[in-house]
Amino acid sequence: MPQNSKKLNMVQAINLALKEEMQRDKDVVILGEDVGRDGGVFRVTEGLLELFGEQRVIDTPLAESGIVGVAIGMAAYGLKPIAEIQFMGFIYSAIDQIFSHASRIRNRTRGRFTCPLVIRIPYGAGIKAPDLHSESTEALFCHMPGVKVVVPSSPYNAKGLLISSIRDPDPVIFLESTRLYRLIKEEVPEGEYTIPLGRARIVQEGRDVTIIAWGSMLHRAIQAVEGFDAEVIDLMTLVPFDEEAIFKSVKKTGRVVIIHEAPKTCGFGAEISATISEDAMLYLKAPIIRVAGYDVVMPLPKLEDYYMPTEGRIRKAMEEVMKY
């Protein structure tokens, strides 16, 4: 059980989870571009090369497909690799490896082999980065059977969710908001604790409207709901997502606003909306509204703030559902 805690940001909390899991399990290895000597592009793996050596913290060439392909082979061999991709916009060349191999090993071998692989990917807007550095295309991975998708929203749950992801027997896409990396600090216990995958958390209870968000958008939602009797749900895991928590809230409020920074069309909000419509429609008092990024290529830094869901857009959506 955890004994002590420190105020950490998300970078430090993830680093702590990696260090503790590598100390606990000799089969956990890290690989990616600059993860060793430089400690990763965001310094998440800083200090781990010195602690565990170059056999377990491996700098790779600039080749995302190769990084993920090698990690899949390691996982099939029995190791527990954690691959870091520097930005979400760089992952696309590795999607074939994930979709065609990592996601299918359990099914392909009739359960004789699994793929205990974590792919950590910084995602999203908020740091005014150049092209391909601010993508939020999580729905691509949510559409791949056999893959879990996790998105922490705070240092505490980042550590607990990452430990659960490392110990999961199947591939996990672990998405880390670049905007949140150093934005907030909170108490994070030293020592082992886990947060189950597939469970949401109720951040704030309310009676009039359910707000569903994840990652960095959770914090914008919390700022926007002031003055509303809103129930705020942090989904934390997108696949599998916590239907029970959502249905329970919908039955209470009858109104739903879903917030994500990915483009609206075919974003994961559409899947949540469809699920509510199929299984809880009779509890709805108003149409479900999604507040999302626009259906455009992620803009460069000067236009980034116009693209992201704002507190004003979220409040307008809540005012709209409250008319019913």
Side-chain angles (χ1 to χ4, degrees):
M1 291 293 291
Q3 298 296 320
N4 302 306
S5 66
K6 292 180 181 177
K7 276 206 164 186
L8 302 179
N9 62 31
M10 190 177 286
V11 167
Q12 295 166 324
I14 293 171
N15 180 277
L16 182 60
L18 293 171
K19 184 176 76 173
E20 291 179 355
E21 282 299 280
M22 294 183 80
Q23 288 170 335
R24 187 190 67 85
D25 187 345
K26 64 178 176 52
D27 289 334
V28 176
V29 298
I30 293 173
L31 69 161
E33 298 160 6
D34 298 327
V35 297
R37 294 185 184 280
D38 289 344
V41 66
F42 289 99
R43 305 295 180 260
V44 174
T45 55
E46 192 166 48
L48 299 181
L49 175 66
E50 290 75 13
L51 285 174
F52 300 104
E54 59 186 15
Q55 297 296 314
R56 296 183 66 194
V57 182
I58 305 165
D59 276 324
T60 67
L62 305 181
E64 284 74 15
S65 180
I67 295 168
V68 175
V70 168
I72 291 169
M74 288 176 162
Y77 178 71
L79 299 174
K80 295 175 183 173
I82 302 165
E84 177 180 303
I85 302 299
Q86 289 192 336
F87 292 93
M88 198 161 197
F90 300 172
I91 189 67
Y92 305 131
S93 64
I95 282 181
D96 178 51
Q97 296 281 8
I98 301 168
F99 195 30
S100 301
H101 300 292
S103 68
R104 298 163 188 257
I105 286 178
R106 178 186 286 278
N107 185 68
R108 185 179 286 160
T109 65
R110 302 295 186 265
R112 287 185 297 124
F113 294 97
T114 61
C115 187
L117 161 67
V118 176
I119 304 176
R120 295 182 38 249
I121 312 173
Y123 85 95
I127 60 168
K128 310 291 185 185
D131 194 19
L132 288 170
H133 289 63
S134 302
E135 312 276 304
S136 181
T137 48
E138 62 272 13
L140 291 174
F141 304 100
C142 296
H143 195 62
M144 298 179 184
V147 172
K148 297 182 176 72
V149 180
V150 177
V151 192
S153 60
S154 75
Y156 177 88
N157 61 41
K159 183 186 175 191
L161 287 167
L162 181 55
I163 291 175
S164 294
S165 299
I166 294 169
R167 298 180 186 183
D168 196 275
D170 293 305
V172 176
I173 305 294
F174 195 85
L175 302 177
E176 302 162 7
S177 165
T178 56
R179 181 171 175 268
L180 294 182
Y181 264 151
R182 292 178 170 84
L183 184 67
I184 52 175
K185 283 189 172 185
E186 65 181 4
E187 293 289 335
V188 178
E190 295 178 348
E192 181 177 328
Y193 70 91
T194 58
I195 296 176
L197 305 187
R199 299 274 183 84
R201 68 178 177 124
I202 307 300
V203 178
Q204 172 181 310
E205 293 193 356
R207 293 173 297 182
D208 287 342
V209 55
T210 298
I211 308 296
I212 302 172
W214 54 89
S216 71
M217 285 298 99
L218 175 77
H219 300 273
R220 195 152 292 181
I222 292 170
Q223 294 170 337
V225 300
E226 185 175 349
F228 291 85
D229 192 358
E231 183 146 297
V232 180
I233 298 177
D234 178 7
L235 217 48
M236 297 201 296
T237 302
L238 303 188
V239 178
F241 72 94
D242 192 344
E243 293 182 3
E244 184 179 350
I246 291 175
F247 293 155
K248 185 178 178 181
S249 183
V250 171
K251 288 175 182 177
K252 181 166 58 171
T253 67
R255 303 177 183 88
V256 180
V257 174
I258 304 166
I259 304 159
H260 59 69
E261 62 182 277
K264 185 175 184 179
T265 298
C266 293
F268 195 67
E271 181 62 29
I272 298 170
S273 177
T275 301
I276 295 171
S277 298
E278 287 173 350
D279 296 326
M281 188 179 73
L282 296 181
Y283 296 97
L284 290 174
K285 301 172 184 172
I288 299 168
I289 293 183
R290 290 170 289 159
V291 182
Y294 297 108
D295 290 338
V296 298
V297 173
M298 181 68 202
L300 293 175
K302 282 187 178 179
L303 293 176
E304 188 177 288
D305 291 337
Y306 294 95
Y307 170 87
M308 295 283 282
T310 61
E311 288 182 43
R313 287 175 62 195
I314 297 169
R315 292 183 67 84
K316 186 177 179 182
M318 287 191 287
E319 290 166 0
E320 190 62 33
V321 297
M322 289 305 298
K323 292 177 181 175
Y324 294 85

